[in-house]
Amino acid sequence: MPTPLIFSAFVMNTASHILHGVWRQPGARQVEFNSLDLWVDLAKELERGLFDVLFFADVTGLYGDFDGSYKKHVDIGLQIPSNDPSVILSALAYNTENLGFAFTSSILQEHPFNFARKISTLDHASKGRIAWNIVTNSLPNAARNFGYDDLTPHDERYEWAEEYVDVTYKLWEGSWDDGALLQDRESGLHGDFSKVHRINHVGKRYKVEGPHLVAPSLQRTPVLFQAGSSPAGTKFAAANAEAQFLIAPTPDAAASKITSMQALLPKYGRRAGDIKFFQGLSFVIGSTEEEAARKDRELDAAIDDEAMIAHLGGAMGIELGTNQLDQPLSDVKTQGIQSVLNWVRESIEGREATVRDIGILTGKRSRLVGTPEQIAGKLKAWQAAGVDGINVMNATIPGSYSDFIEHVMPVLRKQGLAKEGYAPGSLRRKLFGHDTVPETHPAAAYRQAFH
Amino acid sequence: MPTPLIFSAFVMNTASHILHGVWRQPGARQVEFNSLDLWVDLAKELERGLFDVLFFADVTGLYGDFDGSYKKHVDIGLQIPSNDPSVILSALAYNTENLGFAFTSSILQEHPFNFARKISTLDHASKGRIAWNIVTNSLPNAARNFGYDDLTPHDERYEWAEEYVDVTYKLWEGSWDDGALLQDRESGLHGDFSKVHRINHVGKRYKVEGPHLVAPSLQRTPVLFQAGSSPAGTKFAAANAEAQFLIAPTPDAAASKITSMQALLPKYGRRAGDIKFFQGLSFVIGSTEEEAARKDRELDAAIDDEAMIAHLGGAMGIELGTNQLDQPLSDVKTQGIQSVLNWVRESIEGREATVRDIGILTGKRSRLVGTPEQIAGKLKAWQAAGVDGINVMNATIPGSYSDFIEHVMPVLRKQGLAKEGYAPGSLRRKLFGHDTVPETHPAAAYRQAFH
C-alpha cells in the first residue's frame, strides 16, 4: 500500500484569494469571510473529511497597481478586504479536535516577541495544532503600511527573516525548560525559577531580553511552513522549513525541485524527510469525463482574466493595464519571477503569447479535471514525483472542499492514498511522529542554551 | 428605579492576576489558563449572569524584581506565564451572543496598522462586541523585550499613544466609507473603489499608507477603555476614553475623580456621559455576616503577602525584598505612584506603616464583604458616587463570578441595580445606544477625511 497523502485546504480570510471572480457563483460562501460561521463550518467539514491542515494565506498590503490604481482590486475583491487570520483560529480550534491550522505571518507585520507569544498561546489553545507559514514581504504597499518607503531588498529580507526566526526559536525552545511549570497547590510553587531564562538576544534588528511570557506549549515551535523559491528563499527553507509549498506546473517539475531541495538539506545538518512537500492543486470533479469538462468550461467562464493579470502583475512588480492585454509577453519587463511568464510563453503554441494569456493560463494552472478515479490517478503521479501532500486550492468555499471530500477522498482511501483516520496528538506528531522539532532543526540548538 | 449598573469581569490570561496565592485554593480553575475550556466556560457563565463585558488585563513583560530577581514572580505565578488574550477571543465570541470583550493591548507591542486590522477582524467575528483597553507600558522588562534599553519617559509615552490611536482612528473611520462593500453577484462589483481610501499618515513614529485592509465592522472603532490616572494619562483619557477603570479606595474618592474628569471633558469637545466609569471591586459573599467574615479571613490567609508586595513594588519601580518587610514605609523612595503608599500609611493607626503592610492592605483593597443585601447597599453607594459600572475582580475563577451571579445579582435585579436582560446590538449600542463613536469623539473627525 502507498503512504497516504497529507491534505491541506489552502484558503485566505478574503472573498477572492486565487481564482478571481468565482465568488459571484451561487453557493460561494467565501463572501461571508467576515463571519466566524463560515470558517467554523469549513473547519468542521474538513475534519469530517480527514483533512490534516487548514492553511490561511495572508497579505499585509495591496498588490501593485493595475491600470494605474487599485480600482480593479477593490472592484473584484482581489484580497481586499482581507482579515487577520490569526485571531479567528481559536474559534476553529475549539470546534475541532484533529485539524491543524497553518497561518501566514510576515516578519514585517509583528515584533517577534509578540508574535512568539501569540503562537504559543494558540498552540496551547489548540493543544498543539498550529503551523506558521513564514513569509517576508514582496508588496511595496505593505512595506509602506509599516513605515518603510519601499520594499526591503530581497536578500536582505531573508537575513531579516533569519534573525526573526532566531528570536522566536530562543523564546520557544530555550526560555523555559521542560518541567518549569509546576502549579503545585501543596507547596504553593507555581513555577520553577531555575528553569525560566532570559534570552538576551542582541542582533542587527532586534534586542529581546525575555523570558518568554508563555510556558511551553505541546509543540513549542509551531510546524514551520515556507514557500520561498528564490536562491535566498531556498536556502532559508532548507535551513528552517518543515513543510514546503510548491506550485509546480507538472509532476516532473515538482520532482526536480524536491530532489534538489532534498540534496541541499544535509548542508544545513538536516535529513531527507525533515521537509514535507505540498503541491498546490485545484480540482474540477465530474461523475463522468464529460461532466468534468463542462464544469471546467464553466469555471473558465467564471474567472475574471483581468483580475488574474492584476494579481500576477501586482505580485511580480510589473504594472499592467487593460490597454496592454494584447501586448506580446516578450515585451513585458520584470525584475521579478520569470518562471510563470516563461511557463505562459511555453504553453502557447503557434503564436506569440500576450498579456491576456497570463490571465487565461494562470486561472487554469495547477487544475486537475476529471472523474474521481482520474483524479486519483493523477495524484498518484504527483506522489510518485515525491510530493507528500496536496494543498487543495478552491474555486468556491465550501463547495470545492465538500466535493473533494465526498467524491475523491473515498476513491483515494480505497487506494491507500488517503488515511482512514487521524493519528493522535499534535500536528507535528501527526506529520512526523514527534511533538517538538528534531535535533537536526536549528531551533533545537537553543534547548538548555540559557542556563 | 435606579439605572442598572454595568458589570465587567476583570481577569487576565494567567494564574495569578491580582490576589496572589489564591490559585492554590480548591476550585480555583484559573490555573487552567492555557486551556480554551476555562475561558469559554467563564464567558458562557458570565452571559448567563447578564454580565456586560469580560475584560482581560495584560502585560508584555515582567514586573520589576523582588529580592533582586524575578524568582518570586515565577514561584507564585505573578502574571508569568501570561498568555496573549487577543487570540482566544474568537472562541469566546463564537460561544456567546451578547457578552462584550475588552482586552488590553499596549502601544509598545504591536504596530498600529496590524493592530487595527486585528481589532476590525475581531469586531466582525464578534458582531461588534470588542473593546480595547489602551495602555502605554510602565514595565522596564517589557521595554527591553521590544528593543528599548529602558522605559520611554512617561509623558512621551502618552504622546506616542496619541499618534498610535490617531493612526488607528484613520484606518477605522476614514479609510472605508459606509457602503464601500458591495458584494454584488449580479454586477460583479465586490467593492466601490471610490469609497476605499489611503490614509497616508506621516507622524513622528509612524508612516502608514493604507488603505485599511478590513472593511468597516459594526462598531468601526472598538469601545475604548483607559485607566490612566497621571496628569498625562488623565488628559489622554479625557480626549479618547469611552470607559475609564478606577480603583478608588472609597465612594467619595471615586466621586471626586469622576467629577473632575467630567469637568475636563468639555475642554476636549466631549460631553458628560461620553465616558462610563467602572470601579474595580472584589466581593466576599456570605449568607450571613458571620459567614462572610469567616470567608474574608480565609481569603486573607490564602493571599501571599510577599507576592502582593512584589507586584506593587514591581509595578511602581521600587525594588523591594524580604529583608525590607519591617522597614517603615516612609523610608521607601519612589518616583512612581504615591497614592497607594499614602493610602497604606493612612490606613494604619497607632503605629508606623511598614513594607509588610503593603502586602496585607493591597490584598484587602477594594474588597466588599457581606451578605448579598449588604453588598447591594454598598454598590448603591458607589453608584451614588457617579460610578456607572463595576469591574468585578476575582479571587477564584469561576467561583468569584458564579457566587456573584447566584447570590448578588438577584438582589441587585430586584432593586433595579442590575438589568433584567440584554439590550440588542453591539457593545457600544448596549452601553451608549449607538454602534459607532459619537461626533464628539476625535475618531469621528476622520470620517470622509480622505476623499
Side-chain angles (χ1 to χ4, degrees):
Chain A
M1 284 288 268
T3 312
L5 284 161
I6 306 162
F7 291 94
S8 162
F10 190 48
V11 303
M12 187 168 167
N13 199 341
T14 192
S16 203
H17 174 205
I18 295 174
L19 294 178
H20 303 298
V22 179
W23 61 263
R24 295 175 66 182
Q25 301 301 299
R29 278 191 65 197
Q30 58 258 44
V31 293
E32 302 166 34
F33 61 93
N34 279 329
S35 158
L36 279 178
D37 293 334
L38 170 70
W39 301 112
V40 170
D41 292 352
L42 176 65
K44 286 180 175 173
E45 170 80 3
L46 292 171
E47 185 156 285
R48 192 180 68 76
L50 301 180
F51 266 65
D52 299 274
V53 179
L54 172 54
F55 182 151
F56 282 91
D58 198 23
V59 289
T60 46
L62 293 167
Y63 287 87
D65 285 352
F66 180 79
D67 272 342
S69 82
Y70 57 96
K71 179 174 188 304
K72 184 73 197 175
H73 310 50
V74 174
D75 281 355
I76 201 70
L78 197 181
Q79 303 190 6
I80 180 167
S82 76
N83 295 357
D84 180 345
S86 68
V87 290
I88 66 167
L89 296 184
S90 67
L92 281 47
Y94 189 79
N95 283 285
T96 52
E97 274 180 45
N98 283 291
L99 188 65
F101 300 99
F103 73 99
T104 301
S105 185
S106 162
I107 57 172
L108 177 69
Q109 78 190 86
E110 196 162 8
H111 189 283
F113 185 82
N114 211 50
F115 179 72
R117 187 178 181 221
K118 171 200 270 190
I119 283 274
S120 297
T121 302
L122 284 170
D123 204 52
H124 278 300
S126 64
K127 302 193 172 78
R129 292 185 280 147
I130 298 297
W132 170 29
N133 180 37
I134 312 168
V135 299
T136 63
N137 165 55
S138 58
L139 301 175
N141 171 248
R144 292 194 298 267
N145 287 333
F146 288 89
Y148 295 84
D149 289 323
D150 208 340
L151 272 186
T152 306
H154 182 277
D155 287 8
E156 195 183 323
R157 295 203 300 268
Y158 277 98
E159 280 172 39
W160 178 1
E162 281 293 355
E163 186 183 352
Y164 191 100
V165 298
D166 208 42
V167 174
T168 62
Y169 295 162
K170 288 175 180 177
L171 292 165
W172 289 325
E173 301 289 335
S175 187
W176 290 67
D177 300 341
D178 286 340
L181 195 68
L182 301 170
Q183 303 201 315
D184 182 351
R185 286 188 152 115
E186 192 65 33
S187 70
L189 279 181
H190 190 268
D192 180 342
F193 174 66
S194 72
K195 296 181 173 173
V196 183
H197 316 286
R198 292 203 166 105
I199 64 161
N200 290 314
H201 173 90
V202 180
K204 190 176 162 194
R205 289 183 182 257
Y206 299 111
K207 265 202 320 193
V208 180
E209 183 170 84
H212 192 35
L213 289 179
V214 187
S217 65
L218 191 50
Q219 299 188 122
R220 287 182 173 262
T221 298
V223 176
L224 300 168
F225 279 60
Q226 223 273 331
S229 59
S230 66
T234 301
K235 278 185 208 167
F236 182 86
N240 296 285
E242 298 178 277
Q244 203 179 16
F245 175 29
L246 317 170
I247 308 196
T250 61
D252 281 354
S256 136
K257 281 203 176 193
I258 292 167
T259 306
S260 68
M261 182 59 100
Q262 298 279 30
L264 205 56
L265 289 178
K267 204 177 146 185
Y268 294 90
R270 304 183 69 205
R271 299 163 304 207
D274 279 358
I275 300 188
K276 303 281 188 200
F277 297 93
F278 286 75
Q279 167 68 18
L281 294 171
S282 65
F283 297 90
V284 176
I285 307 154
S287 54
T288 62
E289 245 183 281
E290 293 66 37
E291 194 195 14
R294 178 180 55 76
K295 285 183 169 179
D296 188 43
R297 287 190 301 274
E298 286 168 2
L299 177 56
D300 282 340
I303 291 173
D304 181 319
D305 293 334
E306 278 180 30
M308 299 301 297
I309 296 167
H311 186 171
L312 192 76
M316 291 169 65
I318 326 166
E319 195 177 325
L320 299 170
T322 41
N323 62 356
Q324 285 160 288
L325 296 180
D326 297 312
Q327 186 180 316
L329 219 52
S330 49
D331 289 0
V332 173
K333 300 282 170 258
T334 169
Q335 308 290 331
I337 326 151
Q338 277 289 346
S339 58
V340 180
L341 294 191
N342 292 343
W343 169 76
V344 170
R345 252 195 306 266
E346 287 159 15
S347 304
I348 302 289
E349 286 177 13
R351 62 172 174 83
E352 194 167 15
T354 65
V355 169
R356 194 186 302 275
D357 293 317
I358 297 178
I360 297 166
L361 282 164
T362 58
K364 283 180 165 303
R365 194 160 64 125
S366 308
R367 194 193 298 172
L368 301 192
V369 182
T371 64
E373 290 72 21
Q374 289 173 322
I375 286 172
K378 290 175 187 181
L379 288 179
K380 199 172 261 178
W382 283 97
Q383 188 179 51
V387 160
D388 300 290
I390 306 299
N391 214 9
V392 181
M393 305 191 287
N394 62 79
T396 62
I397 293 176
S400 295
Y401 298 107
S402 39
D403 278 1
F404 190 85
I405 288 166
E406 193 179 340
H407 301 296
V408 180
M409 278 295 201
V411 177
L412 295 175
R413 214 159 278 142
K414 248 183 245 161
Q415 303 186 14
L417 284 167
K419 63 185 167 310
E420 298 282 345
Y422 284 111
S426 67
L427 177 59
R428 187 178 280 107
R429 184 171 289 279
K430 285 181 169 72
L431 298 181
F432 294 98
H434 43 85
D435 290 325
T436 56
V437 289
E439 288 301 324
T440 49
H441 192 277
Y446 293 117
R447 290 173 185 156
Q448 312 283 325
F450 302 106
H451 281 251
Chain B
M1 285 288 268
T3 312
L5 284 160
I6 307 163
F7 291 95
S8 162
F10 190 48
V11 303
M12 186 168 167
N13 199 340
T14 190
S16 202
H17 173 204
I18 295 174
L19 294 178
H20 303 297
V22 179
W23 62 263
R24 295 175 65 182
Q25 302 302 299
R29 279 189 66 195
Q30 58 258 46
V31 294
E32 301 166 34
F33 61 93
N34 279 329
S35 158
L36 279 179
D37 293 333
L38 170 69
W39 300 114
V40 171
D41 292 351
L42 176 64
K44 286 180 176 175
E45 170 80 2
L46 292 170
E47 187 157 285
R48 192 180 68 77
L50 301 180
F51 266 66
D52 298 274
V53 178
L54 173 53
F55 182 151
F56 282 91
D58 198 23
V59 290
T60 45
L62 293 168
Y63 287 88
D65 285 352
F66 179 81
D67 272 343
S69 82
Y70 57 96
K71 178 174 187 306
K72 184 73 197 175
H73 310 48
V74 174
D75 281 356
I76 201 71
L78 197 181
Q79 302 191 5
I80 181 169
S82 76
N83 295 357
D84 180 346
S86 68
V87 291
I88 67 167
L89 297 184
S90 67
L92 281 48
Y94 189 79
N95 283 285
T96 51
E97 273 178 45
N98 283 292
L99 187 65
F101 300 98
F103 73 99
T104 302
S105 186
S106 163
I107 57 171
L108 177 69
Q109 77 191 85
E110 196 161 10
H111 189 283
F113 185 83
N114 211 49
F115 179 71
R117 186 178 182 222
K118 171 201 269 190
I119 284 275
S120 297
T121 302
L122 283 171
D123 204 52
H124 277 300
S126 64
K127 301 192 172 79
R129 291 185 281 147
I130 299 297
W132 170 29
N133 180 36
I134 311 170
V135 298
T136 62
N137 166 56
S138 58
L139 301 175
N141 171 247
R144 293 194 297 267
N145 287 333
F146 287 89
Y148 296 85
D149 289 323
D150 208 341
L151 272 186
T152 306
H154 181 277
D155 287 7
E156 195 184 323
R157 295 204 299 267
Y158 278 97
E159 280 173 39
W160 178 0
E162 282 292 357
E163 186 183 351
Y164 192 99
V165 298
D166 208 42
V167 174
T168 62
Y169 295 163
K170 289 175 180 178
L171 292 164
W172 289 325
E173 300 290 335
S175 187
W176 290 66
D177 301 341
D178 286 340
L181 196 68
L182 301 170
Q183 302 200 317
D184 182 351
R185 287 189 152 115
E186 192 63 34
S187 71
L189 279 181
H190 190 268
D192 180 344
F193 174 66
S194 72
K195 296 181 173 173
V196 183
H197 315 286
R198 292 203 166 106
I199 64 161
N200 291 314
H201 173 88
V202 180
K204 190 176 163 195
R205 288 182 182 258
Y206 299 110
K207 265 201 320 192
V208 180
E209 184 171 82
H212 192 36
L213 289 178
V214 186
S217 64
L218 192 50
Q219 300 188 123
R220 288 182 172 261
T221 298
V223 176
L224 299 168
F225 280 60
Q226 221 273 329
S229 59
S230 66
T234 301
K235 278 185 208 167
F236 182 86
N240 296 284
E242 297 177 277
Q244 202 179 17
F245 175 29
L246 317 170
I247 309 197
T250 60
D252 281 353
S256 136
K257 282 202 178 194
I258 292 168
T259 306
S260 68
M261 181 60 99
Q262 298 279 30
L264 205 57
L265 288 178
K267 206 178 144 184
Y268 294 90
R270 304 182 70 203
R271 298 163 305 206
D274 278 358
I275 299 189
K276 302 283 188 199
F277 297 93
F278 286 75
Q279 166 68 18
L281 293 171
S282 66
F283 298 89
V284 176
I285 307 155
S287 55
T288 62
E289 244 183 284
E290 293 65 37
E291 194 195 16
R294 178 179 56 74
K295 284 184 169 179
D296 189 42
R297 288 190 300 274
E298 286 168 2
L299 177 56
D300 281 340
I303 291 173
D304 182 320
D305 294 334
E306 278 180 29
M308 299 302 297
I309 297 167
H311 185 170
L312 192 76
M316 292 170 64
I318 326 166
E319 194 176 325
L320 299 170
T322 40
N323 61 358
Q324 286 159 286
L325 295 180
D326 298 312
Q327 186 180 316
L329 220 51
S330 48
D331 290 1
V332 173
K333 301 281 170 260
T334 169
Q335 309 290 332
I337 326 151
Q338 277 288 349
S339 58
V340 180
L341 294 190
N342 292 342
W343 170 77
V344 170
R345 251 193 309 263
E346 289 158 16
S347 306
I348 302 290
E349 289 178 11
R351 63 171 173 82
E352 193 166 17
T354 64
V355 168
R356 196 187 300 276
D357 293 317
I358 298 178
I360 296 166
L361 282 163
T362 57
K364 282 182 167 303
R365 194 159 63 124
S366 308
R367 194 194 297 174
L368 301 193
V369 182
T371 64
E373 290 71 20
Q374 290 174 321
I375 286 172
K378 291 175 186 181
L379 288 180
K380 199 172 261 178
W382 283 96
Q383 188 179 51
V387 160
D388 300 289
I390 306 299
N391 214 8
V392 180
M393 305 191 287
N394 62 79
T396 62
I397 294 177
S400 295
Y401 298 107
S402 39
D403 278 1
F404 190 86
I405 288 166
E406 193 179 342
H407 301 296
V408 180
M409 279 294 201
V411 177
L412 295 175
R413 213 159 280 143
K414 248 183 246 160
Q415 304 186 13
L417 284 166
K419 64 185 166 308
E420 299 280 346
Y422 284 111
S426 68
L427 177 59
R428 187 178 280 108
R429 182 170 291 279
K430 286 181 169 71
L431 299 180
F432 294 98
H434 43 85
D435 290 326
T436 57
V437 289
E439 288 300 325
T440 49
H441 193 278
Y446 293 117
R447 291 174 185 155
Q448 312 284 325
F450 302 106
H451 281 252

